[in-house]
Amino acid sequence: MNSGTIFLNEFGRIRSGWRALFFLAACIFFMFGLNAIVFGILIGAGVDLDEHVAATTALGSFLSLVPPIAFGWLFGSLFEGLPFRALGGWFTGGWLKHLALGGAIGAFTIGIAALISMALGGLRFTLDISNTAESIGESLLVSLGVFIVAAAFEEALFRGYLLQTLNRAGFGPLAIAVTSVFFGSVHLMNPSANLFSTVNTMLAGVWFGVAYLKTRDLWFPFGIHLLWNWVQGSVLGIEVSGLTKLSPAPILNEIDRGPAWLTGESYGIEASVACTVAILVSIVFIHFMPWVRPDPGMLAMTSKEAANRT
């Protein structure tokens, strides 16, 4: 068996780096295209998008979710002979356990970050008595739906085929590093983003990447991502990556006393050292926890590229 060329690997397939670039280019083209068409129609119909921030965010995330799933399946099948379930979003063995455990870890980790900031005098929380129980309940449910779609999109794009094809080629750490830098860079477009928030978002990309490698499915990082966002915004009332209108009636009110390095101020706690510490602790915990194992079938499909797939 020869060692391949700059374009083809030893199996005679397009190399993982090229596959990743083609996948990313296709996703970006169709994500922008779908969003431009749909939102162009809505604007042309006179819909005021600023009055429907949650719905607009959910719709944009859903439209952006379709290409990574479609092209992840297509590229996996076409270039590597993989079934749809290899992407990690199917109901394979242990998926529900991984989802629940991920949710618990995500909620616990944002709790650690908040407690660090509280202990050092940066944040304080009070019950939100200005809203009715009905409005709080509605806000919790609507924001949960928004965060579900948003987390699913980001995991499908960043921890889906893009990371996975590089990992199967033997570039696991590089795959996590590349996708994490991309993940952090995309969030530079968020309100009040800065260097600190970007570094922490890249660190979060490492966190989610380590979680994927632990279970070889997307349910685990998706659960972490979802509950991190939902508890942060809808329970604690903290800005989520600079966004403030996704949870209009949270359970708690955040009182931010600063300084910025401790609380993140208008970007939220994700731009703080409290977040850095909490995510680092969580990464170490996930890496060493002994009771989580990937489904054997998923492990076989995601560990190493093979000459033939069945």
Side-chain angles (χ1 to χ4, degrees):
M1 185 179 293
N2 62 54
S3 59
T5 68
I6 190 172
F7 295 108
L8 302 178
N9 62 18
E10 65 269 31
F11 304 114
R13 300 189 184 118
I14 296 174
R15 287 192 176 276
S16 61
W18 294 111
R19 296 195 300 253
L21 286 174
F22 294 156
F23 167 80
L24 187 58
C27 285
I28 290 174
F29 177 81
F30 278 91
M31 284 190 296
F32 277 101
L34 284 172
N35 277 273
I37 292 170
V38 173
F39 284 108
I41 292 172
L42 292 176
I43 293 171
V47 177
D48 187 348
L49 301 181
D50 291 333
E51 290 187 2
H52 307 281
V53 175
T56 299
T57 302
L59 178 59
S61 295
F62 176 76
L63 294 172
S64 299
L65 171 62
V66 174
I69 292 177
F71 285 111
W73 164 73
L74 178 63
F75 280 40
S77 176
L78 181 64
F79 294 134
E80 300 180 66
L82 292 168
F84 177 79
R85 66 181 184 277
L87 270 179
W90 194 242
F91 306 107
T92 50
W95 76 271
L96 186 57
K97 172 186 175 181
H98 297 162
L99 174 62
L101 181 60
I105 291 175
F108 185 71
T109 306
I110 187 60
I112 291 175
L115 285 172
I116 291 172
S117 188
M118 289 172 64
L120 296 177
L123 291 180
R124 188 164 68 87
F125 297 94
T126 60
L127 280 173
D128 190 343
I129 59 175
S130 64
N131 294 301
T132 65
E134 182 180 1
S135 64
I136 292 175
E138 180 181 351
S139 178
L140 289 172
L141 288 175
V142 171
S143 63
L144 179 61
V146 174
F147 288 131
I148 285 174
V149 182
F153 152 58
E154 292 187 346
E155 292 312 307
L157 179 61
F158 297 105
R159 263 66 63 180
Y161 185 76
L162 186 62
L163 183 151
Q164 294 167 18
T165 192
L166 294 173
N167 180 65
R168 280 190 291 272
F171 303 111
L174 177 63
I176 290 178
V178 169
T179 53
S180 298
V181 169
F182 184 32
F183 184 58
S185 300
V186 167
H187 285 76
L188 274 170
M189 295 182 288
N190 285 33
S192 303
N194 55 41
L195 178 61
F196 209 159
S197 70
T198 303
V199 170
N200 273 347
T201 306
M202 291 179 184
L203 183 62
V206 174
W207 185 28
F208 300 141
V210 170
Y212 166 76
L213 290 181
K214 191 71 176 182
T215 62
R216 302 306 172 95
D217 64 42
L218 294 177
W219 295 105
F220 191 34
F222 168 73
I224 296 172
H225 197 157
L226 170 60
L227 265 292
W228 167 273
N229 284 345
W230 188 68
V231 171
Q232 183 179 189
S234 303
V235 177
L236 299 178
I238 300 173
E239 301 90 342
V240 180
S241 301
L243 303 176
T244 59
K245 297 181 180 180
L246 300 181
S247 303
I251 294 175
L252 301 177
N253 281 326
E254 172 203 34
I255 300 174
D256 190 337
R257 297 172 171 174
W261 64 267
L262 182 59
T263 68
E265 293 187 338
S266 58
Y267 190 87
I269 203 167
E270 292 176 356
S272 73
V273 71
C275 172
T276 310
V277 172
I279 291 179
L280 285 172
V281 169
S282 195
I283 290 173
V284 173
F285 174 75
I286 290 170
H287 179 74
F288 287 105
M289 63 182 184
W291 60 84
V292 176
R293 294 286 186 273
D295 174 77
M298 289 298 296
L299 185 62
M301 286 187 291
T302 59
S303 294
K304 189 175 181 180
E305 189 171 344
N308 296 298
R309 298 284 187 184
T310 57

Short mmCIF file of all heavy atoms in Angstrom, two decimals, residues 5 15 31 50 140 144 172 190 194 200 213 215 224 230 244 262 269 273 288 296 310:
data_model
loop_
_atom_site.label_atom_id
_atom_site.label_comp_id
_atom_site.label_asym_id
_atom_site.label_seq_id
_atom_site.Cartn_x
_atom_site.Cartn_y
_atom_site.Cartn_z
N THR A 5 -0.61 10.71 -1.89
CA THR A 5 -0.07 11.95 -2.44
C THR A 5 -0.59 13.11 -1.60
O THR A 5 -1.25 12.92 -0.59
CB THR A 5 -0.52 12.13 -3.90
OG1 THR A 5 -1.94 12.35 -3.91
CG2 THR A 5 -0.20 10.89 -4.73
N ARG A 15 -7.67 13.41 0.99
CA ARG A 15 -7.16 13.53 2.35
C ARG A 15 -8.10 14.30 3.26
O ARG A 15 -8.90 15.13 2.81
CB ARG A 15 -5.78 14.21 2.33
CG ARG A 15 -4.67 13.33 1.80
CD ARG A 15 -3.31 13.92 2.06
NE ARG A 15 -2.24 13.03 1.63
CZ ARG A 15 -1.75 12.02 2.36
NH1 ARG A 15 -2.26 11.81 3.57
NH2 ARG A 15 -0.80 11.26 1.90
N MET A 31 -25.32 27.84 4.31
CA MET A 31 -25.86 28.51 5.50
C MET A 31 -26.19 29.97 5.19
O MET A 31 -27.28 30.46 5.50
CB MET A 31 -24.87 28.43 6.68
CG MET A 31 -24.83 27.08 7.36
SD MET A 31 -23.88 27.07 8.91
CE MET A 31 -22.25 27.47 8.32
N ASP A 50 -36.32 42.70 14.76
CA ASP A 50 -35.86 43.16 16.06
C ASP A 50 -36.91 42.94 17.16
O ASP A 50 -36.59 42.91 18.34
CB ASP A 50 -35.50 44.65 16.01
CG ASP A 50 -34.26 44.91 15.17
OD1 ASP A 50 -33.42 43.99 15.06
OD2 ASP A 50 -34.13 46.01 14.62
N LEU A 140 -38.68 30.52 30.20
CA LEU A 140 -37.86 29.32 30.37
C LEU A 140 -38.06 28.35 29.20
O LEU A 140 -37.10 27.79 28.67
CB LEU A 140 -38.20 28.63 31.69
CG LEU A 140 -37.74 29.32 32.97
CD1 LEU A 140 -38.32 28.61 34.19
CD2 LEU A 140 -36.21 29.35 33.06
N LEU A 144 -35.40 27.74 26.17
CA LEU A 144 -34.89 26.38 26.07
C LEU A 144 -34.94 25.91 24.61
O LEU A 144 -33.98 25.32 24.10
CB LEU A 144 -35.70 25.43 26.95
CG LEU A 144 -35.29 23.96 26.91
CD1 LEU A 144 -33.86 23.77 27.39
CD2 LEU A 144 -36.26 23.11 27.75
N GLY A 172 -6.32 14.05 16.12
CA GLY A 172 -7.29 14.42 17.14
C GLY A 172 -7.00 15.75 17.84
O GLY A 172 -7.85 16.65 17.84
N ASN A 190 -20.24 38.61 18.12
CA ASN A 190 -21.26 38.85 19.14
C ASN A 190 -21.09 40.22 19.81
O ASN A 190 -19.97 40.76 19.84
CB ASN A 190 -21.18 37.76 20.21
CG ASN A 190 -21.77 36.44 19.73
OD1 ASN A 190 -21.67 36.09 18.57
ND2 ASN A 190 -22.37 35.69 20.63
N ASN A 194 -14.62 40.52 23.10
CA ASN A 194 -13.27 41.04 23.28
C ASN A 194 -12.27 39.90 23.29
O ASN A 194 -12.64 38.73 23.08
CB ASN A 194 -13.18 41.89 24.56
CG ASN A 194 -13.64 41.11 25.78
OD1 ASN A 194 -13.34 39.92 25.93
ND2 ASN A 194 -14.39 41.76 26.67
N ASN A 200 -11.76 32.51 25.97
CA ASN A 200 -12.62 31.60 26.73
C ASN A 200 -13.51 30.76 25.81
O ASN A 200 -13.79 29.60 26.11
CB ASN A 200 -13.48 32.37 27.72
CG ASN A 200 -12.78 32.60 29.04
OD1 ASN A 200 -11.75 32.00 29.33
ND2 ASN A 200 -13.32 33.48 29.86
N LEU A 213 -14.76 13.37 22.17
CA LEU A 213 -13.84 12.24 22.13
C LEU A 213 -14.10 11.24 23.26
O LEU A 213 -13.80 10.06 23.13
CB LEU A 213 -12.40 12.73 22.20
CG LEU A 213 -11.88 13.47 20.96
CD1 LEU A 213 -10.43 13.87 21.15
CD2 LEU A 213 -12.03 12.62 19.70
N THR A 215 -17.08 10.27 24.37
CA THR A 215 -18.23 9.41 24.08
C THR A 215 -18.37 9.05 22.62
O THR A 215 -19.12 8.14 22.28
CB THR A 215 -19.54 10.10 24.53
OG1 THR A 215 -19.70 11.31 23.78
CG2 THR A 215 -19.51 10.41 26.01
N ILE A 224 -23.85 19.43 27.45
CA ILE A 224 -23.03 20.41 28.18
C ILE A 224 -23.33 21.82 27.68
O ILE A 224 -23.60 22.74 28.45
CB ILE A 224 -21.53 20.09 28.01
CG1 ILE A 224 -21.19 18.74 28.63
CG2 ILE A 224 -20.68 21.20 28.65
CD1 ILE A 224 -19.77 18.28 28.33
N TRP A 230 -28.46 27.63 28.89
CA TRP A 230 -29.80 27.82 29.44
C TRP A 230 -29.76 28.24 30.91
O TRP A 230 -30.46 29.16 31.31
CB TRP A 230 -30.61 26.53 29.28
CG TRP A 230 -32.06 26.68 29.64
CD1 TRP A 230 -33.00 27.39 28.97
CD2 TRP A 230 -32.72 26.08 30.76
NE1 TRP A 230 -34.22 27.29 29.60
CE2 TRP A 230 -34.08 26.48 30.70
CE3 TRP A 230 -32.31 25.24 31.79
CZ2 TRP A 230 -35.02 26.07 31.64
CZ3 TRP A 230 -33.25 24.82 32.73
CH2 TRP A 230 -34.58 25.24 32.65
N THR A 244 -28.64 39.40 25.17
CA THR A 244 -29.43 39.73 26.36
C THR A 244 -30.92 39.52 26.20
O THR A 244 -31.66 39.59 27.18
CB THR A 244 -29.20 41.20 26.76
OG1 THR A 244 -29.60 42.04 25.64
CG2 THR A 244 -27.74 41.47 27.09
N LEU A 262 -13.51 39.74 36.27
CA LEU A 262 -14.17 38.79 37.17
C LEU A 262 -15.60 38.47 36.73
O LEU A 262 -16.08 37.36 36.95
CB LEU A 262 -14.18 39.35 38.60
CG LEU A 262 -14.79 38.48 39.69
CD1 LEU A 262 -14.08 37.13 39.78
CD2 LEU A 262 -14.73 39.22 41.03
N ILE A 269 -20.48 36.38 31.89
CA ILE A 269 -19.43 35.70 32.64
C ILE A 269 -18.47 34.92 31.74
O ILE A 269 -17.37 34.57 32.17
CB ILE A 269 -20.06 34.77 33.70
CG1 ILE A 269 -19.07 34.49 34.84
CG2 ILE A 269 -20.59 33.49 33.07
CD1 ILE A 269 -19.71 33.85 36.05
N VAL A 273 -12.39 35.53 34.18
CA VAL A 273 -11.47 34.52 34.67
C VAL A 273 -12.22 33.44 35.43
O VAL A 273 -11.76 32.28 35.51
CB VAL A 273 -10.37 35.17 35.53
CG1 VAL A 273 -10.95 35.66 36.87
CG2 VAL A 273 -9.21 34.21 35.77
N PHE A 288 -10.77 12.61 32.83
CA PHE A 288 -10.39 11.53 33.74
C PHE A 288 -11.56 10.72 34.29
O PHE A 288 -11.33 9.70 34.92
CB PHE A 288 -9.57 12.09 34.91
CG PHE A 288 -8.18 12.50 34.51
CD1 PHE A 288 -7.85 13.85 34.37
CD2 PHE A 288 -7.20 11.55 34.26
CE1 PHE A 288 -6.58 14.23 34.00
CE2 PHE A 288 -5.91 11.93 33.89
CZ PHE A 288 -5.60 13.28 33.76
N PRO A 296 -19.43 0.80 21.48
CA PRO A 296 -18.38 0.11 20.72
C PRO A 296 -18.48 0.34 19.21
O PRO A 296 -17.45 0.49 18.54
CB PRO A 296 -18.61 -1.37 21.08
CG PRO A 296 -19.26 -1.34 22.42
CD PRO A 296 -20.13 -0.13 22.41
N THR A 310 -18.49 -1.18 6.37
CA THR A 310 -19.68 -1.96 6.12
C THR A 310 -20.88 -1.26 6.68
O THR A 310 -20.75 -0.38 7.52
CB THR A 310 -19.56 -3.35 6.77
OG1 THR A 310 -19.32 -3.20 8.18
CG2 THR A 310 -18.41 -4.13 6.15
#
